Amino acid sequence: MPVTLLWAVDVYGRVYSLSTAGQHWERADDTLLELKRITAGKERCWGVGCDHHVYLNMMPSETSIRYKEETYENQRWNPVDGFTDTLLPTDRWPWSDVTGLNPQPLQSFQLPSRSWEWEGDWYVDQSCGGEPSQTGGWEYAVDFPANFSPDKKWNSCVRRRRWIRYRRYTAQGSWAKIPLDNPRKPPLPLCDISCGGWELSDQSGRYPYLWGVTQQGQVWFREGVHPRVPEGSGWEEVEVPKEVAQISAGPGDLLWALLWNGSLLVRTGLSLDSPTGTTWVEVDSPVKEIETLHVAVGGSVVWVVTKDYKVWFRRGVNSHNPCGSGWISIGGEMMMVDVGLNDQVWAVGEDRGLYFRMGVTPSEPSGKGWIPVSGQWGSREKVLLPPRGGSRGVCEFGGPQTEASHTSVLSCTDSDSELGPAEPPNGPNETPVLEAADSSIVPLGAADSPTPPLTSEDGASASGPDVRKPFIPASDSFINSLVSDREKTPMMQQSIAEAPQEESREPPPAPVLQTPDPSGQDVPWINVDLEGAEAARGAQSAGPSAGDGRTGATYPLGLETSQGVGEEDGPVWAWISGGGCDVDVRAQISWLSPAGPLTSSLSLTPVQSAAWSQQQQPEHGEEIRKKPLERSHSVWVRKGVLRWWRDWKPQRWVDVSVALEQSSRSDGRKDSIFFVYYTQYDEKKYLHVFVSEVTALVPVLRDCPHAFAVYTAQRTRQRWPLVLAAQTQKDMDDWLCLLSESCCESRGIRGPPSRQAVWSATSKGDVMVHEPSFSLEAPAHTLACDLMFWRQVPGHLRCVESNSLGLVWGIGWDGTAWVYTGRYGQQSNPGDAAQMLEQTDVRNVHVYENQRWNPMTGYTDKGLPTDRPMWSDECGMKECTKSSTTPPSPQWSWVSEWTVDYNVPGGTDKEGWQYAADFPVTFHGHKTMKDFVRRRRWTRKCKITVRGPWQQAPPILLSDISLMPCLAQSSMEQVPLWALSDKGDVLCRLGASPQNPAGSSWLHVGTDQPFKSISIGGASQVWAIAKDGAVFYRGSVSPQNPAGECWYHIPSPLRQTLRQLSVGRTSVFAVDENSNLWYRQGLTPSYPQGSAWELISNNVTKVSVGPLDQVWIVADGVPGFPAETPGAVCHRLGLGPMQPKGQSWDYGVGGGWEHISVRGNAAEAPRPPHPPAPAGPPRSPLRPAQVNGSAVRV
């Protein structure tokens, strides 16, 4: 890992750097340098000085920075003198650039700044086109402009040669001033800068972009920054709608700006071709009542600090979505933050200490906690200063003092501030001293400072009320902008006596180090608030050495050593920049160790250092270990690459990047957002879905394998799911599991499905489940069907049935019966992995061979142009050959070869053909004189193996199954379970109970013909449909006689053939072959067969009636959406005792649903209390309405 630097600035403008390979802070060699703000990038650091100039520090490297200056000498031939520099008026300049448009004589080239030097004199480039030539570097052409070549021809009338001179950058490793005197309009005095954008470069030498903010709120962009031109060439103004106070640029295409009113601006459209962007978008502060104080931008993160020093993280920030999607509060109280390399976060705390955000990774960009930056501080030199009343004019220094060090130590004002006259001395015989404008501006005193007594006025001033300043960003004083609104608690000054307070209540001036000015004037101090320095001096002067009787006070100075005013206990930090510090979670850096010594940590102010020095060392380590655990919020991100089906023209699959961003709150709640980033017409765009709004995650069958659909309530209503596809089955399973877990966490769903769950199966074989609420079947304010959340249960089934006692049975596509083994109402634990059993399923894939008859050759595969393909699917809309047909999904594998299928509805001849008059009509199994087309079905078996909580039932293949629905408060030893075998035999399962859901044995129930559908309802009402469409009712079924006694024939609807039915508590619904839904009227306990059928609706594929007589169906289609895939979940609304047929349909999630079962949902909404009976004579009781008592008690 390369050695990089962390940069920081203290409140006096001194610049320090801390190496990742070292342990000690190092101050800049230029002791006169005073910077207000710095911004670091790779191998460089920029700064804004107190003189408003921009400074640059390029890191030393083995390769020097050289720039090649070049100009062209142009000549034209004439018959008298030959080639001369006398050109035609229409020609280019005698000395010009390569284009000839700009004049460039040799003497016009000047060094851009003092940081450059010439390596040599001008010389002629002897090569032409990269190859050596013998022409003295001349290139010839017919005229300007033309193609030049080293060969001189008879018609060569012009020539040119290139002159070259190199200049080298000599300021590497030191701070160099960037000149502002260029031909363009220079920016006004700058108050903030930020570098970034180096990841936008497509060259090997990445170079950054530099942004600046002026005192008037303007934004400027530095042009021409290049690896060979590190200073850049000029400034370009970028228009802003409002005045900007601070700006921050990330390494990519993110740029945020802070306005003076506390809101934020985001620059969009940043790219390599448009480095300044296109438009500004305003973003509100995290808290409307509190303005923003600082903003910091990284590669894909944005951090801000509000004026109450709270830290906030912007979620959802990406190059496709530079504005983000919301704010998250992060623990810690900071004054400013900075985002460095790898999106690592550095901060200056409210205590003026430096902090690092621990645990920041690409998957958890918000980190885990703050730890101090514990860089070591070197030895100190002491300077003695006499107190008031002592020996006057005595000053001891730890080293020789130079005139230059006066400015370095004392001049903290801007370069354009004037020196004012000295204040009158405090006493007639005292030596003149420098006086501060505020009593808080006092150099740090040593522990041996004397402690003169305090007067009553001093005590009054020390205990005065706190005064909070309003926050006024001052562009010309960056320190004021940081500390002007802080609440200051005046500390008792025990080392130096204070003068009485004036009537204006201004803090009295405090004497500082005596340094007579040769001109007779004193250098004023900048108005800086250093509560930490005051408290440190008070804490030290109250120590054991405070009263040792010495007459001198010690002060540090920035002389030959690297110490200065305010460095006695380490600098009081004001700014930090980690843009050039390469730190990641794997890096082992000594000064980022949480167990480092606190006393040497520069993340502690003098107040904390003095307080911690009085405690024992074990307490230090314990407190440090606790600090990183302080976290109120965190953000977790999972990124990946998928394919997205763009369902608008042109419809196609698009490669996209996706990200799941999850925010964890301090109370344990989690909030997640799923982002899809794509590019359209070179414009970056994105889609986002709030995970809490996701209603279903369903694998789907598309032309691209490993596809799944993401539904929300809005997308369900629009029939517009978000369809994504992964590269492999494992990637799809991982994303589905991750998204499903996030959805369940956001909705508070844990563990396996409950007993009241609604089960369903898709046409793909996936098992889906919904956890119902009381509002799902409430008469009023019913939960909308599109708001239902469906989650997937591992397994593969064709249909699934359940009841409220916890029994769940399913049937695979091959007829195998499966029993759910999961537990109910319990949280999952590691032991649940043992319940994941191997489950297999076999399915038949069909293709149809079609032929047409003609008089010459008979039946052939030569059809009419309007005919269906000769190899197609069942409906004939899609061409399907045996070679091109694949299993339903990559999870399936072939287990047989193609064979002719003779078991086709309608029958076949001995070769498997079915005949009809034309396509498409009803086919039959024998040929007639009017049959001109025929078809036969080919079939092939495929197999799938999955793992799920399903146990195989006894090896009898089933075609239908039904469990008796019962109320939630019911209890029974054995649950009635009826089923049909694949041959149509009626079976009754014995011994099925919540303790033994698989039961013990099958009991065969005799019939005179095979059946195709069966259902058992309340009070053991068993209804069934024979294969010819006849309806039967089983009489005398009871717990004592589970098989009943005989079958009663029920007339079918007129001219309709029923195919499936469902019996509820007191109602029976059935579906015919034409997808019509029928209701059986007249059901009573005395006449359970009913009286007549009534048509309810059409467009129905399956129906399920629950224990509360609720009706749910799988609709064949959704009205208004003809392109929707068949199979949508629908709920019947308006059901009640007086309206058992319901009133309307509520369409929910759909497109590929095969089966639904609500027979376990017995959750009734709580009923309101009955109003009190009116007073009066007793009324004769009415006879209660007769209900199915057995169904109620079941």
PDB file of all heavy atoms in Angstrom, residues 807-832:
ATOM      1  N   LEU A 807     -52.427 -27.323   8.852  1.00  0.00           N
ATOM      2  CA  LEU A 807     -52.143 -28.349   7.856  1.00  0.00           C
ATOM      3  C   LEU A 807     -52.031 -27.700   6.477  1.00  0.00           C
ATOM      4  O   LEU A 807     -52.902 -26.914   6.088  1.00  0.00           O
ATOM      5  CB  LEU A 807     -53.224 -29.429   7.832  1.00  0.00           C
ATOM      6  CG  LEU A 807     -53.082 -30.566   8.861  1.00  0.00           C
ATOM      7  CD1 LEU A 807     -53.402 -30.052  10.263  1.00  0.00           C
ATOM      8  CD2 LEU A 807     -53.984 -31.732   8.482  1.00  0.00           C
ATOM      9  N   VAL A 808     -50.957 -28.027   5.764  1.00  0.00           N
ATOM     10  CA  VAL A 808     -50.739 -27.528   4.411  1.00  0.00           C
ATOM     11  C   VAL A 808     -50.282 -28.699   3.558  1.00  0.00           C
ATOM     12  O   VAL A 808     -49.280 -29.347   3.857  1.00  0.00           O
ATOM     13  CB  VAL A 808     -49.688 -26.398   4.369  1.00  0.00           C
ATOM     14  CG1 VAL A 808     -49.511 -25.895   2.938  1.00  0.00           C
ATOM     15  CG2 VAL A 808     -50.083 -25.254   5.283  1.00  0.00           C
ATOM     16  N   TRP A 809     -51.056 -28.980   2.519  1.00  0.00           N
ATOM     17  CA  TRP A 809     -50.725 -30.037   1.571  1.00  0.00           C
ATOM     18  C   TRP A 809     -50.573 -29.417   0.191  1.00  0.00           C
ATOM     19  O   TRP A 809     -51.232 -28.433  -0.139  1.00  0.00           O
ATOM     20  CB  TRP A 809     -51.835 -31.109   1.529  1.00  0.00           C
ATOM     21  CG  TRP A 809     -51.755 -32.109   2.649  1.00  0.00           C
ATOM     22  CD1 TRP A 809     -51.799 -31.860   3.976  1.00  0.00           C
ATOM     23  CD2 TRP A 809     -51.634 -33.527   2.502  1.00  0.00           C
ATOM     24  NE1 TRP A 809     -51.706 -33.012   4.700  1.00  0.00           N
ATOM     25  CE2 TRP A 809     -51.611 -34.072   3.815  1.00  0.00           C
ATOM     26  CE3 TRP A 809     -51.559 -34.397   1.421  1.00  0.00           C
ATOM     27  CZ2 TRP A 809     -51.505 -35.434   4.047  1.00  0.00           C
ATOM     28  CZ3 TRP A 809     -51.460 -35.764   1.651  1.00  0.00           C
ATOM     29  CH2 TRP A 809     -51.426 -36.275   2.953  1.00  0.00           C
ATOM     30  N   GLY A 810     -49.703 -30.012  -0.612  1.00  0.00           N
ATOM     31  CA  GLY A 810     -49.501 -29.552  -1.977  1.00  0.00           C
ATOM     32  C   GLY A 810     -49.354 -30.722  -2.919  1.00  0.00           C
ATOM     33  O   GLY A 810     -49.039 -31.845  -2.514  1.00  0.00           O
ATOM     34  N   ILE A 811     -49.562 -30.474  -4.192  1.00  0.00           N
ATOM     35  CA  ILE A 811     -49.440 -31.484  -5.239  1.00  0.00           C
ATOM     36  C   ILE A 811     -48.501 -30.947  -6.304  1.00  0.00           C
ATOM     37  O   ILE A 811     -48.650 -29.800  -6.764  1.00  0.00           O
ATOM     38  CB  ILE A 811     -50.807 -31.837  -5.853  1.00  0.00           C
ATOM     39  CG1 ILE A 811     -51.768 -32.331  -4.771  1.00  0.00           C
ATOM     40  CG2 ILE A 811     -50.654 -32.880  -6.953  1.00  0.00           C
ATOM     41  CD1 ILE A 811     -53.159 -32.611  -5.300  1.00  0.00           C
ATOM     42  N   GLY A 812     -47.519 -31.748  -6.682  1.00  0.00           N
ATOM     43  CA  GLY A 812     -46.606 -31.372  -7.736  1.00  0.00           C
ATOM     44  C   GLY A 812     -47.205 -31.594  -9.111  1.00  0.00           C
ATOM     45  O   GLY A 812     -48.305 -32.147  -9.268  1.00  0.00           O
ATOM     46  N   TRP A 813     -46.470 -31.192 -10.141  1.00  0.00           N
ATOM     47  CA  TRP A 813     -46.950 -31.354 -11.504  1.00  0.00           C
ATOM     48  C   TRP A 813     -47.003 -32.832 -11.900  1.00  0.00           C
ATOM     49  O   TRP A 813     -47.743 -33.190 -12.808  1.00  0.00           O
ATOM     50  CB  TRP A 813     -46.056 -30.579 -12.465  1.00  0.00           C
ATOM     51  CG  TRP A 813     -46.251 -29.104 -12.357  1.00  0.00           C
ATOM     52  CD1 TRP A 813     -45.590 -28.244 -11.530  1.00  0.00           C
ATOM     53  CD2 TRP A 813     -47.183 -28.310 -13.084  1.00  0.00           C
ATOM     54  NE1 TRP A 813     -46.043 -26.957 -11.684  1.00  0.00           N
ATOM     55  CE2 TRP A 813     -47.028 -26.970 -12.652  1.00  0.00           C
ATOM     56  CE3 TRP A 813     -48.129 -28.590 -14.062  1.00  0.00           C
ATOM     57  CZ2 TRP A 813     -47.788 -25.929 -13.166  1.00  0.00           C
ATOM     58  CZ3 TRP A 813     -48.876 -27.549 -14.578  1.00  0.00           C
ATOM     59  CH2 TRP A 813     -48.709 -26.231 -14.133  1.00  0.00           C
ATOM     60  N   ASP A 814     -46.220 -33.651 -11.235  1.00  0.00           N
ATOM     61  CA  ASP A 814     -46.261 -35.083 -11.531  1.00  0.00           C
ATOM     62  C   ASP A 814     -47.268 -35.828 -10.669  1.00  0.00           C
ATOM     63  O   ASP A 814     -47.341 -37.062 -10.720  1.00  0.00           O
ATOM     64  CB  ASP A 814     -44.875 -35.702 -11.354  1.00  0.00           C
ATOM     65  CG  ASP A 814     -44.327 -35.487  -9.944  1.00  0.00           C
ATOM     66  OD1 ASP A 814     -44.983 -34.787  -9.143  1.00  0.00           O
ATOM     67  OD2 ASP A 814     -43.243 -36.003  -9.660  1.00  0.00           O
ATOM     68  N   GLY A 815     -48.062 -35.128  -9.838  1.00  0.00           N
ATOM     69  CA  GLY A 815     -49.064 -35.742  -8.996  1.00  0.00           C
ATOM     70  C   GLY A 815     -48.583 -36.164  -7.631  1.00  0.00           C
ATOM     71  O   GLY A 815     -49.382 -36.682  -6.834  1.00  0.00           O
ATOM     72  N   THR A 816     -47.317 -35.956  -7.311  1.00  0.00           N
ATOM     73  CA  THR A 816     -46.811 -36.330  -5.996  1.00  0.00           C
ATOM     74  C   THR A 816     -47.371 -35.396  -4.935  1.00  0.00           C
ATOM     75  O   THR A 816     -47.402 -34.171  -5.112  1.00  0.00           O
ATOM     76  CB  THR A 816     -45.272 -36.276  -5.979  1.00  0.00           C
ATOM     77  OG1 THR A 816     -44.770 -37.117  -7.021  1.00  0.00           O
ATOM     78  CG2 THR A 816     -44.731 -36.740  -4.644  1.00  0.00           C
ATOM     79  N   ALA A 817     -47.816 -35.973  -3.811  1.00  0.00           N
ATOM     80  CA  ALA A 817     -48.355 -35.181  -2.703  1.00  0.00           C
ATOM     81  C   ALA A 817     -47.230 -34.828  -1.740  1.00  0.00           C
ATOM     82  O   ALA A 817     -46.381 -35.666  -1.417  1.00  0.00           O
ATOM     83  CB  ALA A 817     -49.451 -35.951  -1.986  1.00  0.00           C
ATOM     84  N   TRP A 818     -47.266 -33.580  -1.255  1.00  0.00           N
ATOM     85  CA  TRP A 818     -46.251 -33.077  -0.335  1.00  0.00           C
ATOM     86  C   TRP A 818     -46.946 -32.411   0.851  1.00  0.00           C
ATOM     87  O   TRP A 818     -47.974 -31.755   0.696  1.00  0.00           O
ATOM     88  CB  TRP A 818     -45.326 -32.078  -1.031  1.00  0.00           C
ATOM     89  CG  TRP A 818     -44.583 -32.657  -2.193  1.00  0.00           C
ATOM     90  CD1 TRP A 818     -45.010 -32.700  -3.486  1.00  0.00           C
ATOM     91  CD2 TRP A 818     -43.309 -33.287  -2.167  1.00  0.00           C
ATOM     92  NE1 TRP A 818     -44.082 -33.306  -4.279  1.00  0.00           N
ATOM     93  CE2 TRP A 818     -43.014 -33.679  -3.502  1.00  0.00           C
ATOM     94  CE3 TRP A 818     -42.381 -33.564  -1.161  1.00  0.00           C
ATOM     95  CZ2 TRP A 818     -41.827 -34.334  -3.843  1.00  0.00           C
ATOM     96  CZ3 TRP A 818     -41.202 -34.204  -1.500  1.00  0.00           C
ATOM     97  CH2 TRP A 818     -40.941 -34.594  -2.820  1.00  0.00           C
ATOM     98  N   VAL A 819     -46.340 -32.575   2.030  1.00  0.00           N
ATOM     99  CA  VAL A 819     -46.873 -32.020   3.273  1.00  0.00           C
ATOM    100  C   VAL A 819     -45.866 -31.013   3.809  1.00  0.00           C
ATOM    101  O   VAL A 819     -44.661 -31.305   3.894  1.00  0.00           O
ATOM    102  CB  VAL A 819     -47.144 -33.125   4.318  1.00  0.00           C
ATOM    103  CG1 VAL A 819     -47.740 -32.510   5.580  1.00  0.00           C
ATOM    104  CG2 VAL A 819     -48.068 -34.175   3.746  1.00  0.00           C
ATOM    105  N   TYR A 820     -46.372 -29.842   4.169  1.00  0.00           N
ATOM    106  CA  TYR A 820     -45.493 -28.783   4.697  1.00  0.00           C
ATOM    107  C   TYR A 820     -45.038 -29.145   6.096  1.00  0.00           C
ATOM    108  O   TYR A 820     -45.844 -29.504   6.958  1.00  0.00           O
ATOM    109  CB  TYR A 820     -46.248 -27.453   4.703  1.00  0.00           C
ATOM    110  CG  TYR A 820     -45.416 -26.273   5.148  1.00  0.00           C
ATOM    111  CD1 TYR A 820     -44.367 -25.807   4.364  1.00  0.00           C
ATOM    112  CD2 TYR A 820     -45.682 -25.621   6.346  1.00  0.00           C
ATOM    113  CE1 TYR A 820     -43.607 -24.721   4.751  1.00  0.00           C
ATOM    114  CE2 TYR A 820     -44.934 -24.538   6.739  1.00  0.00           C
ATOM    115  CZ  TYR A 820     -43.888 -24.092   5.945  1.00  0.00           C
ATOM    116  OH  TYR A 820     -43.141 -23.019   6.342  1.00  0.00           O
ATOM    117  N   THR A 821     -43.739 -29.039   6.347  1.00  0.00           N
ATOM    118  CA  THR A 821     -43.155 -29.412   7.640  1.00  0.00           C
ATOM    119  C   THR A 821     -42.736 -28.217   8.467  1.00  0.00           C
ATOM    120  O   THR A 821     -42.169 -28.398   9.553  1.00  0.00           O
ATOM    121  CB  THR A 821     -41.925 -30.308   7.428  1.00  0.00           C
ATOM    122  OG1 THR A 821     -40.931 -29.578   6.686  1.00  0.00           O
ATOM    123  CG2 THR A 821     -42.307 -31.565   6.666  1.00  0.00           C
ATOM    124  N   GLY A 822     -42.946 -26.996   7.997  1.00  0.00           N
ATOM    125  CA  GLY A 822     -42.517 -25.816   8.738  1.00  0.00           C
ATOM    126  C   GLY A 822     -43.333 -25.601   9.983  1.00  0.00           C
ATOM    127  O   GLY A 822     -44.466 -26.055  10.118  1.00  0.00           O
ATOM    128  N   ARG A 823     -42.716 -24.868  10.950  1.00  0.00           N
ATOM    129  CA  ARG A 823     -43.428 -24.542  12.182  1.00  0.00           C
ATOM    130  C   ARG A 823     -44.146 -23.213  12.012  1.00  0.00           C
ATOM    131  O   ARG A 823     -43.781 -22.393  11.166  1.00  0.00           O
ATOM    132  CB  ARG A 823     -42.441 -24.461  13.350  1.00  0.00           C
ATOM    133  CG  ARG A 823     -41.793 -25.799  13.665  1.00  0.00           C
ATOM    134  CD  ARG A 823     -41.011 -25.684  14.958  1.00  0.00           C
ATOM    135  NE  ARG A 823     -39.967 -24.673  14.865  1.00  0.00           N
ATOM    136  CZ  ARG A 823     -38.736 -24.923  14.425  1.00  0.00           C
ATOM    137  NH1 ARG A 823     -38.421 -26.123  14.003  1.00  0.00           N
ATOM    138  NH2 ARG A 823     -37.829 -23.981  14.391  1.00  0.00           N
ATOM    139  N   TYR A 824     -45.123 -22.963  12.837  1.00  0.00           N
ATOM    140  CA  TYR A 824     -45.977 -21.790  12.698  1.00  0.00           C
ATOM    141  C   TYR A 824     -45.784 -20.874  13.900  1.00  0.00           C
ATOM    142  O   TYR A 824     -45.694 -21.329  15.033  1.00  0.00           O
ATOM    143  CB  TYR A 824     -47.451 -22.191  12.595  1.00  0.00           C
ATOM    144  CG  TYR A 824     -47.740 -22.968  11.342  1.00  0.00           C
ATOM    145  CD1 TYR A 824     -47.573 -24.337  11.305  1.00  0.00           C
ATOM    146  CD2 TYR A 824     -48.141 -22.304  10.190  1.00  0.00           C
ATOM    147  CE1 TYR A 824     -47.826 -25.048  10.153  1.00  0.00           C
ATOM    148  CE2 TYR A 824     -48.404 -23.004   9.029  1.00  0.00           C
ATOM    149  CZ  TYR A 824     -48.245 -24.369   9.011  1.00  0.00           C
ATOM    150  OH  TYR A 824     -48.482 -25.057   7.869  1.00  0.00           O
ATOM    151  N   GLY A 825     -45.726 -19.579  13.591  1.00  0.00           N
ATOM    152  CA  GLY A 825     -45.682 -18.596  14.652  1.00  0.00           C
ATOM    153  C   GLY A 825     -44.391 -18.571  15.427  1.00  0.00           C
ATOM    154  O   GLY A 825     -44.324 -18.013  16.503  1.00  0.00           O
ATOM    155  N   GLN A 826     -43.316 -19.168  14.919  1.00  0.00           N
ATOM    156  CA  GLN A 826     -42.043 -19.181  15.612  1.00  0.00           C
ATOM    157  C   GLN A 826     -41.001 -18.569  14.699  1.00  0.00           C
ATOM    158  O   GLN A 826     -41.082 -18.634  13.478  1.00  0.00           O
ATOM    159  CB  GLN A 826     -41.631 -20.608  15.984  1.00  0.00           C
ATOM    160  CG  GLN A 826     -42.633 -21.323  16.880  1.00  0.00           C
ATOM    161  CD  GLN A 826     -42.173 -22.739  17.176  1.00  0.00           C
ATOM    162  OE1 GLN A 826     -41.066 -23.116  16.875  1.00  0.00           O
ATOM    163  NE2 GLN A 826     -43.054 -23.510  17.781  1.00  0.00           N
ATOM    164  N   GLN A 827     -39.973 -17.991  15.318  1.00  0.00           N
ATOM    165  CA  GLN A 827     -38.904 -17.396  14.558  1.00  0.00           C
ATOM    166  C   GLN A 827     -37.969 -18.489  14.063  1.00  0.00           C
ATOM    167  O   GLN A 827     -37.814 -19.534  14.681  1.00  0.00           O
ATOM    168  CB  GLN A 827     -38.125 -16.387  15.410  1.00  0.00           C
ATOM    169  CG  GLN A 827     -38.954 -15.192  15.833  1.00  0.00           C
ATOM    170  CD  GLN A 827     -38.115 -14.165  16.537  1.00  0.00           C
ATOM    171  OE1 GLN A 827     -36.905 -14.296  16.619  1.00  0.00           O
ATOM    172  NE2 GLN A 827     -38.760 -13.135  17.058  1.00  0.00           N
ATOM    173  N   SER A 828     -37.357 -18.197  12.936  1.00  0.00           N
ATOM    174  CA  SER A 828     -36.436 -19.168  12.371  1.00  0.00           C
ATOM    175  C   SER A 828     -35.155 -19.212  13.183  1.00  0.00           C
ATOM    176  O   SER A 828     -34.740 -18.240  13.801  1.00  0.00           O
ATOM    177  CB  SER A 828     -36.117 -18.796  10.925  1.00  0.00           C
ATOM    178  OG  SER A 828     -35.561 -17.498  10.874  1.00  0.00           O
ATOM    179  N   ASN A 829     -34.535 -20.354  13.209  1.00  0.00           N
ATOM    180  CA  ASN A 829     -33.273 -20.529  13.907  1.00  0.00           C
ATOM    181  C   ASN A 829     -32.410 -21.459  13.088  1.00  0.00           C
ATOM    182  O   ASN A 829     -32.853 -22.041  12.086  1.00  0.00           O
ATOM    183  CB  ASN A 829     -33.515 -21.082  15.324  1.00  0.00           C
ATOM    184  CG  ASN A 829     -34.380 -22.334  15.306  1.00  0.00           C
ATOM    185  OD1 ASN A 829     -34.041 -23.312  14.643  1.00  0.00           O
ATOM    186  ND2 ASN A 829     -35.505 -22.298  16.007  1.00  0.00           N
ATOM    187  N   PRO A 830     -31.133 -21.626  13.471  1.00  0.00           N
ATOM    188  CA  PRO A 830     -30.262 -22.474  12.666  1.00  0.00           C
ATOM    189  C   PRO A 830     -30.785 -23.890  12.504  1.00  0.00           C
ATOM    190  O   PRO A 830     -30.465 -24.562  11.527  1.00  0.00           O
ATOM    191  CB  PRO A 830     -28.940 -22.443  13.452  1.00  0.00           C
ATOM    192  CG  PRO A 830     -28.971 -21.149  14.196  1.00  0.00           C
ATOM    193  CD  PRO A 830     -30.411 -20.931  14.546  1.00  0.00           C
ATOM    194  N   GLY A 831     -31.598 -24.359  13.419  1.00  0.00           N
ATOM    195  CA  GLY A 831     -32.128 -25.709  13.285  1.00  0.00           C
ATOM    196  C   GLY A 831     -33.108 -25.862  12.147  1.00  0.00           C
ATOM    197  O   GLY A 831     -33.414 -26.974  11.716  1.00  0.00           O
ATOM    198  N   ASP A 832     -33.642 -24.740  11.628  1.00  0.00           N
ATOM    199  CA  ASP A 832     -34.603 -24.840  10.540  1.00  0.00           C
ATOM    200  C   ASP A 832     -33.954 -25.356   9.259  1.00  0.00           C
ATOM    201  O   ASP A 832     -34.639 -25.827   8.359  1.00  0.00           O
ATOM    202  CB  ASP A 832     -35.231 -23.478  10.269  1.00  0.00           C
ATOM    203  CG  ASP A 832     -36.136 -23.059  11.412  1.00  0.00           C
ATOM    204  OD1 ASP A 832     -36.497 -23.930  12.211  1.00  0.00           O
ATOM    205  OD2 ASP A 832     -36.462 -21.866  11.513  1.00  0.00           O
TER     206      ASP A 832
END
